[in-house]
Amino acid sequence: MNRHKISILGEVRESFSMAMGAITAHKLRSALTLLGVLVGVFSIIVVMTAMRVMQSSIEDQLSSLGGQTFMVRKWPNAYFGGSSGDYEKYWRRKNITMAQVKLLEQKAALPANIGMESMFWSGEIKTRYKTSAPVVRLYGETPGSFAAHNWNLADGRLFFDADVDNARNVCVLGYGLATNIFPNSSPVGDTVKIDGINYNVIGTLESKGSAAGGDQDNFAVVPLKTGLNRYGRWSRSLNILVQARDRETYDATLEEVRSILRVLRKVMPGKEEDFEISSNDSLIEQFKTFTRTVRIGVTVVSSIALLAAGIGIMNIMLVSVTERTREIGIRRAIGAKKRNIMVQFILEAIVLCEVGGAAGVVLGILGGNLTAVLLKLPPVIPFDWVAIGLAICSVVGIIFGTYPAWKAANLDPIESLRYE
């Protein structure tokens, strides 16, 4: 048995060596042949690498809610595509109002806290020290929103109910914004000008870092009623942030809030809700569904490229069989079996594909990690997709190399020796 295994290994090694010799003997032709495989594998690896680079960062960014927290909105929190009919359905929904949320706070018994929020404005914020870039986001919040967002206090204080009820001109700054516009001192107790209005800074938040190349801390927060008075409330739908007491009561809390809102918004039994409930898990699942669609699209396009490359490989292998007819006849005359000839030609096709695939993998990883460089994220190597790409190359080589190998193995030895 061991001798038989050694014999097979020696046969494969010899066939591999002959296959490599045949490939290097026609360098230009081999290079042009493997180019199609290179393109197919490159397109898979470059996209998968880029998506893997962004995935963890985007998932961190989507995890904007604190533990055991969910959000209720008029619109989906993340909307990856969809039909115009879906858009119209969301647009026709009634706005979520402060009065509805106040009633929810009165009726709901399970939540640890309930917050309200709205995004009002984006622009530059001025201090006596400097002016920010015109990309600062301004949110309106209530006291319950901070824990729901996992925003932790670094200095000063957060909002009291009185700040919201009396629509005071106070604000809390994100860490990135605070350190930018107050580079040498604490902003607490100082004044900032937001959209032409002066606000007293009462607190700053701890840093949450960056995600996907963006700063999660470049924002300011004002009391919700202050923002509504200034930017309008009648055409604005609020977001509700609900934090459960613990993981065990999370599902019950979600169902309680869902039931109360259906009653408050007069949704008839059996009808679809006119609001969206989202959590960190649901947002990440939406993102994964979106990326899954992209992967399928890339796989289809790459499969077409690999199919074309496989046809090219079969064509070149058939030409190679014709050119080496006399060589095949000599090998058969000195004792080579059909199996030996088939193994040699199939290995030659596999090696062609694998060389192209390896080049595609290297270029794909380098190209995909350009995303990491541009977004200042750590580079990655998608080992699973590298293995899948190289395995596909072997399959392509076997499928498209089998017929030329069979044709070579079944040449008549005597006719082959006479071939000029």
Side-chain angles (χ1 to χ4, degrees):
M1 178 65 74
N2 289 335
R3 289 182 180 178
H4 181 64
K5 287 182 178 179
I6 293 171
S7 174
I8 292 176
L9 288 173
E11 181 183 317
V12 171
R13 190 181 299 113
E14 182 183 355
S15 297
F16 179 79
S17 176
M18 295 182 69
M20 287 298 297
I23 291 171
T24 54
H26 302 88
K27 294 183 180 65
L28 180 59
R29 186 173 74 184
S30 300
L32 293 174
T33 303
L34 61 83
L35 193 59
V37 178
L38 187 153
V39 170
V41 174
F42 170 80
S43 59
I44 293 176
I45 300 299
V46 72
V47 172
M48 299 309 172
T49 302
M51 294 186 73
R52 192 66 57 81
V53 165
M54 294 188 296
Q55 184 170 348
S56 60
S57 179
I58 289 177
E59 287 181 1
D60 286 342
Q61 193 174 28
L62 289 177
S63 298
S64 57
L65 305 178
Q68 289 86 55
T69 300
F70 58 90
M71 178 184 286
V72 184
R73 293 167 49 101
K74 172 182 175 179
W75 297 80
N77 200 38
Y79 187 57
F80 298 113
S83 65
S84 59
D86 288 338
Y87 180 87
E88 185 176 352
K89 177 185 72 173
Y90 301 137
W91 183 80
R92 289 181 178 277
R93 289 175 172 177
K94 295 176 291 186
N95 290 335
I96 296 173
T97 65
M98 184 176 282
Q100 289 175 357
V101 185
K102 290 287 187 184
L103 288 171
L104 174 65
E105 289 177 331
Q106 294 173 16
K107 295 176 179 294
L110 293 177
N113 63 70
I114 296 176
M116 290 177 270
E117 74 168 9
S118 182
M119 199 281 194
F120 290 120
W121 175 84
S122 179
E124 64 182 24
I125 292 182
K126 298 179 180 180
T127 71
R128 57 197 172 103
Y129 300 106
K130 64 184 295 188
T131 300
S132 73
V135 291
V136 178
R137 304 177 303 279
L138 179 66
Y139 296 103
E141 306 285 349
T142 59
S145 300
F146 290 90
H149 269 302
N150 201 21
W151 288 341
N152 299 317
L153 182 66
D155 190 19
R157 69 171 178 87
L158 302 177
F159 295 156
F160 296 142
D161 288 331
D163 295 321
V164 179
D165 295 337
N166 297 319
R168 291 172 178 165
N169 285 348
V170 295
C171 68
V172 175
L173 304 181
Y175 177 84
L177 175 63
T179 53
N180 177 29
I181 59 179
F182 291 94
N184 301 314
S185 63
S186 170
V188 176
D190 216 317
T191 301
V192 298
K193 182 169 284 189
I194 304 175
D195 201 14
I197 305 295
N198 288 327
Y199 293 83
N200 294 321
V201 180
I202 61 171
T204 60
L205 302 174
E206 292 180 355
S207 173
K208 293 189 74 174
S210 61
D215 187 355
Q216 296 188 91
D217 301 312
N218 192 37
F219 64 90
V221 182
V222 299
L224 180 61
K225 191 174 282 188
T226 303
L228 291 174
N229 289 346
R230 195 144 289 147
Y231 296 97
R233 67 180 67 203
W234 306 115
S235 61
R236 186 179 300 276
S237 184
L238 302 180
N239 302 331
I240 310 172
L241 296 160
V242 183
Q243 189 173 40
R245 298 182 189 279
D246 47 46
R247 175 47 79 181
E248 287 70 28
T249 60
Y250 178 88
D251 291 338
T253 303
L254 190 150
E255 288 306 317
E256 181 188 46
V257 169
R258 187 198 304 274
S259 300
I260 293 172
L261 283 175
R262 286 181 66 93
V263 174
L264 293 176
R265 293 171 65 81
K266 297 180 173 59
V267 179
M268 300 300 292
K271 295 289 186 180
E272 182 184 8
E273 288 135 9
D274 62 348
F275 53 87
E276 300 287 325
I277 297 179
S278 58
S279 63
N280 290 336
D281 292 341
S282 65
L283 293 177
I284 291 172
E285 188 56 39
Q286 276 185 281
F287 174 70
K288 287 181 176 178
T289 301
F290 169 72
T291 56
R292 196 176 300 124
T293 304
V294 174
R295 288 190 186 103
I296 292 171
V298 171
T299 303
V300 170
V301 173
S302 301
S303 298
I304 295 171
L306 289 171
L307 177 63
I311 294 171
I313 286 171
M314 180 183 286
N315 181 51
I316 291 301
M317 294 302 297
L318 289 171
V319 171
S320 180
V321 170
T322 302
E323 290 177 345
R324 292 153 64 187
T325 299
R326 186 173 178 80
E327 173 197 324
I328 294 168
I330 293 171
R331 290 197 65 201
R332 291 296 307 279
I334 60 176
K337 300 177 181 178
K338 288 185 178 181
R339 181 187 66 193
N340 304 125
I341 305 298
M342 283 201 70
V343 168
Q344 178 189 343
F345 277 87
I346 290 176
L347 274 176
E348 189 173 325
I350 292 174
V351 170
L352 263 175
C353 288
E354 289 295 344
V355 171
V361 164
V362 172
L363 293 176
I365 291 173
L366 292 176
N369 277 304
L370 281 177
T371 307
V373 174
L374 294 174
L375 298 179
K376 298 179 182 178
L377 297 172
V380 300
I381 299 176
F383 290 104
D384 50 347
W385 282 101
V386 169
I388 290 170
L390 295 178
I392 290 172
C393 289
S394 295
V395 172
V396 169
I398 292 170
I399 291 174
F400 290 95
T402 296
Y403 175 69
W406 177 85
K407 185 175 180 181
N410 285 278
L411 288 175
D412 184 272
I414 297 174
E415 293 297 326
S416 298
L417 286 169
R418 292 175 179 172
Y419 186 81
E420 295 294 337

